[in-house]
């Protein structure tokens, strides 16, 4: 079992498959993806070894992310490897939904059980302004197809962006009235690359929590391998609301997740420093014990909290770089 020096336990691995993305979200890659230095992403055999080692260390949930994970040509193989690893009970993916409509069936067959689709606005024009793409209908067809396929959970991610947060929140409440979807509102986080965007657009999530509680929503108890959201349900709604509030005081106390970048670095925190390189131990499965040892040792250096409140975003230029 992986645990750190503050007795937090780590059951959940977020594995970035690529830093490449085909969208230009305002808060992430506003100018689109640019390759600074050519690099090789983790190969299938490296992913297999990582999944096996983390599972041996107690991980039971893997989330595939990026960049845009669906741009990996061998994604189905990655899914098969992760879902068939002994000990992995849940395989999730966060995606911009670009390929969901056409691939949901194959992904489900490959072992994907949970899908999070990023849909920052239900208004097609606003969606286009945020993502820099005219893909709203396509993405929403993907959400419908994922629901048809019967994944264990289909969730939507929406970043809280100040000027549209309130209208968006109300629209989403209507939208989940009859749809069994959890919509998770994520507080905008400050990233190294564009601090001014954060200054202009950040809005705290706690006002929305107060609103929900006032309207009779109840907060759910969190599972040991659950993500960072506070989740709320209401008897009159088929769907749920999640709030991810990294700026709230106790956010880091319940941290249960680690990240591996597409270059094979272990990141103990989204806002940590350079990451611990594991790549030299990934080419040969005979080095499995050494790899597990390195992961366990690194975890002892995990800090009690991020330092976002002090405006310290660590070495992360944007979330696409290490996997959001
Ligand atoms: N490309 C995929 C997608 O957008 O779903 C997966 C990677 S993306 C980095 C993962 C999640 O991080 C998305 O839901 C995105 O909205 C969120 N995200 C990216 N930058 C963010 C920021 N600065 N603050 C809060 N959430 C952010
Ligand atoms: Fe791409 Fe996801 Fe970043 Fe948007 S949030 S630019 S879809 S990686």
């Amino acid at each position: 079992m992986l645990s750190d020096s503050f007795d937090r336990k780590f059951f959940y691995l977020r594995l970035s498959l690529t830093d490449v993305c085909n969208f230009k979200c305002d808060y992430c890659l506003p100018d689109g993806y640019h390759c600074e230095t050519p690099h090789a992403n983790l190969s299938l055999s490296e992913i297999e070894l990582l999944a096996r080692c983390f599972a041996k260390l107690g991980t039971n949930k893997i989330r595939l992310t990026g960049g845009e994970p669906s741009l990996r040509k061998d994604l189905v193989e990655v899914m098969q490897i992760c879902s068939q690893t002994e000990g992995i009970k849940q395989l999730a993916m966060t995606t911009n939904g670009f390929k969901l409509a056409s691939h949901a069936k194959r992904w489900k067959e490959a072992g994907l059980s949970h899908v999070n689709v990023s849909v920052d606005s239900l208004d097609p024009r606003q969606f286009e302004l945020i993502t820099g793409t005219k893909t709203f209908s396509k993405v929403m067809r993907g959400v419908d197809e994922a629901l048809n396929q019967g994944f264990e959970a289909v969730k939507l991610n929406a970043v809280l962006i100040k000027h549209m947060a309130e209208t968006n929140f109300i629209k989403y409440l209507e939208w989940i009235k009859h749809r069994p979807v959890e919509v998770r509102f994520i507080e905008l986080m400050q990233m190294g690359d564009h601090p001014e965007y954060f200054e202009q657009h950040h809005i705290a999530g706690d006002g929305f929590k107060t609103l929900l509680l006032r309207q009779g929503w109840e907060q759910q108890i969190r599972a040991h391998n659950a993500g960072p959201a506070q989740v709320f349900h209401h008897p009159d709604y088929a769907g749920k609301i999640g709030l991810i509030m990294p700026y709230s005081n106790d956010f880091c106390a319940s941290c249960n997740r680690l990240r591996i970048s597409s270059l094979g670095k272990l990141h103990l925190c989204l806002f940590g420093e350079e990451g611990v390189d594991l790549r030299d131990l990934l080419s040969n499965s005979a080095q499995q014990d050494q790899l597990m040892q390195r992961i366990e040792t690194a975890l002892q250096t995990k800090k009690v909290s991020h330092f976002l409140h002090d405006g310290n975003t660590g070495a992360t230029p944007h979330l696409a770089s290490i996997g959001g």
Side-chain angles (χ1 to χ4, degrees), residues 181-192:
V181 176
E182 182 180 317
V183 180
R184 326 177 105 209
F185 292 96
I186 311 173
E187 277 182 352
L188 178 67
M189 292 175 265
Q190 185 176 352
M191 293 289 145

Side-chain angles (χ1 to χ4, degrees), residues 18-30 32-33 65-69 71 94-97 118 120 130-131 159 318-321 323-324:
T18 174
D19 58 349
V20 179
C21 189
N22 53 342
F23 279 26
K24 298 177 179 178
C25 298
D26 264 352
Y27 48 77
C28 183
L29 294 173
Y33 172 78
T65 182
E68 178 43 42
L71 297 182
T94 305
T95 172
N96 61 24
S118 297
D120 291 321
I130 297 166
T131 62
V159 175
H318 45 71
L319 280 199
S321 64

